């Protein structure tokens, strides 16, 4: 795991018992993990009673360092040995490494879910609604007498903060059969692929 | 159902008995061609010179036939109704037959052309799909996320095509298939069958 100098310095301060006793250290680790998972950036995240006596600048630096380290670890799917090696490099003692690693295991899968939802992808289809209509006539042609489907794909675009841009289209029964047939082909291939 | 022709329309068509049935046949052919591709005023002038009449008279004659054809096709009137409607113009039997044949030969095509004028949504043309597995992203390495990428081809009634690239996951794909199969099954229910049978 490669960490920048600033992050390493922050972690080194965190390892230092003169700045953070074990209890304060543990609280900061827990707060750091939870702050990553909370939905809103909470400016009062560091307003814990245990931190009142600390130098606020140092506190912020260490918080940033540890959250960066956490994210890097989750991103790389770091195992116990990589994390231990990394923390040893910044002078964490065995106890503190253990506290860190235990909390890491506790929150790792939630953090993975969070990270996997970041990033760009084509608009994602979530749902489909349909409507079956029978067209009798319109302004230009009478006696149409044909059924038709109106399909709406509910699409979420992750880039625009989850806004929906639905895709609407109409189709005849034959066209809908074609569409469903092709989707079933895709599903069959998926099934075959999972059996490989 | 009978077509009601306005006086102006009758006047325009009044030019037709004054020329050969071959010429009327030619006018009919021009009318259908104009319906397919749009009008071309130069043709009126050419014909007018050959027949020694006003270009305007020729134009009215052709437009009269065009309107007669579009109205009849729109309403999808029967042979008998068409003949009765044209009877009111007082044409010869030969001319009536000519017009009737013109209508019957081209009404399906004309209805198709007219239907392009109706407001409509993009129609489905095709769906291409692809199975992918997401292995890594900038934010997270070592992933194994199966995704289905789809390219949906849609077309407007004016012929313009559009393509939408979409993505979904396996669970949603199964859900989509289920929902759309329900939609297809709906057409086979007694309720829909009854409507389709009775509204004709």
């Amino acid at each position: 795991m490669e960490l920048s100098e600033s992050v390493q310095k922050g972690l080194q301060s965190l390892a230092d018992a003169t700045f953070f006793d074990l209890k304060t250290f543990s609280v900061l680790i827990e707060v750091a993990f939870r702050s990553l998972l909370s939905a809103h950036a909470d400016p009062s995240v560091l307003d814990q009673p245990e931190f009142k006596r600390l130098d606020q600048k140092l506190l912020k630096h260490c918080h940033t360092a540890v959250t960066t380290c956490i994210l890097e670890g989750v991103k790389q799917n770091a195992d116990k040995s990589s994390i231990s090696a990394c923390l040893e490099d910044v002078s964490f003692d065995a106890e503190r490494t253990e506290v860190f690693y235990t909390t890491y295991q506790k929150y790792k899968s939630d953090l993975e879910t969070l990270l996997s939802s970041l990033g760009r992808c084509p608009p994602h289809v979530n749902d489909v609604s349909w409507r079956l209509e029978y067209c009798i006539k319109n302004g230009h042609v009478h006696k149409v007498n044909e059924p038709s489907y109106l399909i709406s794909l509910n699409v979420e675009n992750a880039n625009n903060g989850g806004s929906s841009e639905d895709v609407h289209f109409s189709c005849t029964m034959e066209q809908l059969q074609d569409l469903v047939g092709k989707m079933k082909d895709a599903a069959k291939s998926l099934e075959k692929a999972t059996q490989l | 159902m009978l077509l009601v022709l306005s006086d102006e329309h009758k006047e325009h068509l009044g030019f037709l008995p004054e020329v050969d049935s071959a010429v009327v046949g030619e006018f009919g052919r021009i009318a259908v061609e104009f319906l397919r591709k749009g009008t071309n005023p130069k043709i009126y002038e050419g014909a007018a010179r050959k027949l020694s009449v006003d270009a305007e008279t020729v134009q009215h004659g052709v437009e009269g036939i065009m309107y007669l054809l579009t109205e009849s096709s729109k309403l999808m009137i029967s042979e008998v109704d068409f003949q009765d409607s044209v009877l009111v113009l007082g044409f010869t039997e030969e001319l009536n037959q000519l017009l009737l044949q013109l209508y019957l030969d081209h009404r399906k095509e004309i209805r198709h052309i007219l239907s392009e004028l109706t407001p409509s949504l993009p129609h489905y043309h095709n769906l291409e799909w692809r199975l992918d597995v997401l292995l890594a992203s900038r934010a997270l390495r070592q992933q194994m996320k199966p995704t289905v990428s789809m390219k949906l081809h849609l077309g407007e009634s004016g012929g313009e095509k559009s393509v939408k690239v979409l993505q979904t996951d396996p669970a949603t794909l199964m859900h989509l298939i289920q929902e759309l199969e329900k939609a297809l099954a709906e057409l086979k229910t007694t309720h829909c069958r009854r409507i389709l049978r009775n509204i004709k």
Side-chain angles (χ1 to χ4, degrees):
Chain A
M1 259 179 17
E2 277 183 34
L3 299 169
S4 73
E5 220 181 282
S6 153
V7 170
Q8 285 181 337
K9 277 220 188 80
L11 290 173
Q12 276 164 349
S13 307
L14 205 48
D16 193 336
T18 54
F19 293 137
F20 294 91
D21 60 31
L22 188 59
K23 181 158 183 284
T24 316
F25 168 86
S26 306
V27 172
L28 183 57
I29 297 294
E30 182 73 22
V31 160
F33 274 93
R34 274 202 263 128
S35 69
L36 284 170
L37 287 168
S38 71
H40 306 286
D42 182 6
S44 65
V45 70
L46 294 175
D47 281 346
Q48 306 289 327
E50 289 85 350
F51 303 152
K52 287 276 185 308
R53 274 176 291 122
L54 294 169
D55 172 34
Q56 293 302 300
K57 211 168 107 185
L58 174 69
L59 180 62
K60 279 187 194 150
H61 183 189
C62 293
H63 178 251
T64 312
V66 88
T67 48
T68 311
C69 177
I70 293 169
L71 286 174
E72 196 57 33
V74 176
K75 177 168 106 180
Q76 308 282 2
N77 196 20
D79 57 12
K80 187 161 190 187
S81 64
S82 341
I83 293 182
S84 302
C86 169
L87 294 180
E88 231 179 82
D89 283 344
V90 288
S91 320
F92 266 47
D93 60 35
E95 221 173 2
R96 293 187 189 218
T97 307
E98 195 55 37
V99 169
F100 181 91
Y101 187 68
T102 319
T103 329
Y104 173 81
Q105 279 183 304
K106 186 164 116 190
Y107 290 108
K108 183 173 179 210
S109 81
D110 286 339
L111 281 169
E112 273 177 345
T113 314
L114 178 64
L115 287 181
S116 74
S117 70
L118 293 176
R120 298 203 177 285
C121 71
H124 189 99
V125 179
N126 281 338
D127 202 356
V128 66
S129 359
W130 56 268
R131 207 164 89 172
L132 173 57
E133 298 177 323
Y134 189 65
C135 180
I136 299 177
K137 64 160 79 160
N138 59 54
H140 299 278
V141 187
H142 292 202
K143 296 200 199 160
V144 176
N145 297 340
E146 258 165 29
S148 80
Y149 284 97
L150 183 57
I151 310 282
S152 292
L153 293 171
N154 177 245
V155 170
E156 228 171 53
N157 196 330
N159 303 337
N160 296 342
S163 74
S164 287
E165 315 157 359
D166 289 356
V167 177
H168 306 288
F169 60 91
S170 68
C171 58
T172 63
M173 181 185 83
E174 289 82 15
Q175 289 167 339
L176 186 59
Q177 280 173 333
D178 180 66
L179 174 62
V180 174
K182 296 202 161 98
M183 284 182 163
K184 279 171 135 167
D185 287 340
K188 250 186 245 156
S189 297
L190 250 177
E191 224 184 282
K192 275 203 207 127
T194 57
Q195 286 163 1
L196 286 171
Chain B
M1 181 183 176
L2 285 183
L3 266 187
V4 176
L5 305 169
S6 69
D7 288 334
E8 194 188 351
H9 192 190
K10 286 187 206 157
E11 207 188 300
H12 289 179
L13 290 171
F15 168 57
L16 297 179
E18 295 170 23
V19 293
D20 271 349
S21 51
V23 176
V24 177
E26 186 61 19
F27 280 1
R29 198 193 55 78
I30 294 173
V32 175
E33 201 50 37
F34 282 2
L35 282 173
R36 282 188 196 128
K37 304 239 177 81
T39 56
N40 184 355
K42 291 196 214 134
I43 306 235
Y44 297 140
E45 285 160 30
R49 254 180 286 123
K50 264 192 262 173
L51 298 167
S52 324
V53 290
D54 267 346
E56 204 183 343
T57 318
V58 176
Q59 183 179 355
H60 285 170
V62 173
E63 282 177 0
I65 298 182
M66 278 167 74
Y67 189 67
L68 180 66
L69 288 174
T70 51
E71 277 305 291
S72 318
S73 304
K74 167 171 141 179
L75 300 169
M76 198 66 170
I77 59 179
S78 61
E79 264 189 58
V80 173
D81 285 343
F82 183 87
Q83 282 174 316
D84 290 341
S85 313
V86 162
L87 215 56
V88 89
L89 296 165
F91 291 169
T92 63
E93 188 53 33
E94 196 193 350
L95 195 48
N96 286 349
Q97 277 306 312
L98 210 144
L99 289 172
L100 177 64
Q101 205 51 47
L102 197 61
Y103 166 59
L104 291 174
D105 288 342
H106 297 281
R107 68 174 165 181
K108 225 172 163 188
E109 193 189 344
I110 294 176
R111 275 173 74 81
H112 183 76
I113 296 171
L114 286 175
S115 67
E116 286 180 17
L117 291 169
T118 64
S120 75
L121 286 163
H123 323 289
Y124 167 80
H125 265 196
N126 194 15
L127 180 78
E128 294 178 80
W129 55 266
R130 194 175 84 179
L131 285 176
D132 292 325
V133 176
L134 175 62
L135 298 176
S137 70
R138 181 179 168 183
L140 184 62
R141 311 290 147 83
Q142 299 191 18
Q143 297 184 58
M144 271 263 277
K145 197 157 127 182
T147 56
V148 181
S149 300
M150 302 188 287
K151 210 172 189 181
L152 183 62
H153 294 261
L154 301 173
E156 293 276 352
S157 52
E160 312 129 33
K161 300 214 159 80
S162 71
V163 170
K164 299 245 189 269
V165 177
L166 303 166
Q167 201 183 61
T168 188
D169 52 82
T172 312
L173 179 67
M174 302 311 289
H175 169 69
L176 294 179
I177 292 176
Q178 251 179 2
E179 279 307 309
L180 292 178
E181 283 189 316
K182 279 189 207 160
L184 279 173
E186 200 52 37
L187 250 185
K188 304 203 168 77
T189 59
T190 23
H191 175 78
C192 288
R193 282 211 157 114
R194 204 184 316 138
I195 308 266
L196 264 64
R197 230 192 346 249
N198 293 325
I199 304 187
K200 275 267 171 251

